[in-house]
Amino acid sequence: MAQDGPGGEKTEKPTPQRLKKARKEGQIPRTQELGTWLGAVAASFLLPVMVGKSFDGARALFLQIGQVAERPDLEAVNRLLGQALTTFLMAVLPLAAGIMVVGVLSSAAQGGVVFASKPIKPTFSKINPFPGLKRMFGGHGLWETAKALIKTVAIGVAILLTVDDVQSLVASSGSMPLGTVASVFTDSALMMIRVAALTGLVLAVADYMVVRMQTMKKLKMSLYEIKQEHKQQEGDPHVKGHRRAVMLAQARNRMMTDVTTADVLLTNPTHVAVALKYSPAFGAPRVVAKGSGEVARRLRELAAEHGVPQVRDIPLARALHGSCDLGQEVPPQLFTAVARVLAFVMQLGTRGIRGGVHQPGFSPPDTTGLPVAGRRRVTPVAGGGTGAVDGVSAA
């Protein structure tokens, strides 16, 4: 088993967050071989175009050189030099641009173009010779040696495939036109470049797989690191629990304040309590406080202290507690039952009666389809204690 803690064994795959951070730091699996050999392939196709343009431009320049030699003129010489420079650039620029585009595309294909400053920052580990010696004589050094041998063999094979044609050409070059000799030499050189480049591309794919495997191995994480990252993203459970407890306490404090100005407190009579307040601006009565168990007991005490009438109506109290949240209007299905209670409380007010516990004995309301609060359910909570499920919850 992997040891948990800051020094735990790194056995887990890197998380997306770790990969994103590594990308910003420039830790992307890349091989320089791919750009090099793709550039060689591109050059093998662009070189004939460059050579053809160079010969055409040189032929035109040689004709103008003869004319300038017959009539020497400084302006003509400057014009000739300008044409020579333009011809050179027009021949070389396509090759240079093609190789540059291939290099950018090969880099983008290996993880995109990322500008990271961390790899170029001077650090002691970069000048420390021991890691360099380890890379030289370790697995990385063996792989680099194997790549060099494969490239040497590929170039040797390409030379062997073209040497016979070149030998026969040299032997009979005196009886052949210069253009034919140049064409055969060019074809042989291009064939040699392409064979070496194709072999190099196969080698580049293998090198990329090796580099990717090494990079992913370096980015592996321990279980402890994954847990810490999860805490940073989602928040520490202790902090979240404390924040939730604070929010719950604030909600209860607001609720305890609102019950002192409520119009009536409906009770179960002991398990559930729901405080209602009506104002023409509301449109319908609203639940301003509710709770069960200990919270219900505290609501009853506050109602008694501040002269809020308490009406014992078990079906209505349970229906309101189960179907309404804090600040929510009572459902239309209970309008009639709530209106009877409010009318009863208003009659008490006209007779000068404030507060008290009353049981008018109204007929039970129709609660079909409404969730109804039952008795308080006690469930175990962290720490070995118990907690009421049907209590107040913070929004």
Side-chain angles (χ1 to χ4, degrees), residues 1 145 166 223 233 238 250 293 347:
M1 293 180 60
T145 303
V166 175
L223 291 174
Q233 291 180 346
H238 298 288
Q250 292 175 348
Q347 290 178 3

Side-chain angles (χ1 to χ4, degrees), residues 13-271:
K13 292 182 179 180
T15 61
Q17 185 71 16
R18 178 71 180 94
L19 292 175
K20 184 178 180 180
K21 180 181 178 182
R23 178 180 176 82
K24 290 182 179 180
E25 294 177 352
Q27 297 183 32
I28 302 175
R30 278 182 180 163
T31 173
Q32 301 298 326
E33 302 287 340
L34 184 61
T36 300
W37 294 113
L38 280 178
V41 173
S44 68
F45 289 97
L46 293 174
L47 272 174
V49 178
M50 186 191 75
V51 172
K53 288 187 177 181
S54 298
F55 272 114
D56 294 339
R59 188 181 298 111
L61 288 174
F62 274 120
L63 294 176
Q64 294 186 27
I65 289 175
Q67 297 175 0
V68 172
E70 291 178 359
R71 298 178 181 179
D73 184 11
L74 182 59
E75 182 178 353
V77 173
N78 291 333
R79 185 168 56 252
L80 181 62
L81 292 176
Q83 291 179 358
L85 180 61
T86 303
T87 301
F88 172 77
L89 292 177
M90 292 300 294
V92 173
L93 280 179
L95 177 63
I99 294 176
M100 182 182 68
V101 169
V102 168
V104 173
L105 292 178
S106 64
S107 179
Q110 300 179 73
V113 180
V114 180
F115 298 96
S117 59
K118 185 174 180 179
I120 61 176
K121 289 182 179 179
T123 57
F124 175 76
S125 59
K126 293 181 179 180
I127 61 176
N128 187 3
F130 295 104
L133 293 174
K134 184 179 179 181
R135 289 193 300 267
M136 185 181 300
F137 297 102
H140 181 76
L142 293 176
W143 172 240
E144 292 295 329
T145 303
K147 285 197 302 181
L149 291 175
I150 294 173
K151 286 187 283 188
T152 303
V153 171
I155 295 174
V157 171
I159 293 175
L160 289 176
L161 292 176
T162 58
V163 69
D164 292 337
D165 294 338
V166 175
Q167 285 180 349
S168 60
L169 178 66
V170 171
S172 58
S173 60
S175 59
M176 296 176 64
L178 180 60
T180 304
V181 175
S183 177
V184 174
F185 266 113
T186 301
D187 292 341
S188 300
L190 292 177
M191 180 180 178
M192 183 177 66
I193 293 174
R194 288 168 184 169
V195 170
L198 291 176
T199 306
L201 286 177
V202 176
L203 185 64
V205 173
D207 188 44
Y208 175 78
M209 299 302 294
V210 172
V211 172
R212 179 176 176 79
M213 182 179 64
Q214 293 175 345
T215 303
M216 297 303 289
K217 184 177 179 180
K218 291 179 182 178
L219 295 178
K220 278 189 174 182
M221 305 173 67
S222 64
L223 291 174
Y224 176 79
E225 290 174 334
I226 294 177
K227 291 178 181 178
Q228 292 299 113
E229 181 182 284
H230 180 73
K231 286 182 179 180
Q232 292 176 0
Q233 291 180 346
E234 301 296 332
D236 193 330
H238 298 288
V239 176
K240 291 175 66 177
H242 176 70
R243 188 183 302 117
R244 188 172 182 276
V246 171
M247 292 175 62
L248 184 61
Q250 292 175 348
R252 284 181 175 173
N253 291 335
R254 288 195 302 269
M255 187 177 66
M256 297 302 175
T257 302
D258 292 338
V259 75
T260 61
T261 60
D263 293 323
V264 63
L265 180 70
L266 290 164
T267 62
N268 196 27
T270 57
H271 299 112

Side-chain angles (χ1 to χ4, degrees), residues 290-313:
K290 73 171 190 175
S292 62
E294 183 63 24
V295 176
R297 184 190 66 79
R298 180 58 180 159
L299 292 176
R300 292 194 301 270
E301 290 179 355
L302 289 173
E305 292 175 7
H306 294 82
V308 177
Q310 301 182 45
V311 175
R312 293 182 176 179
D313 191 330

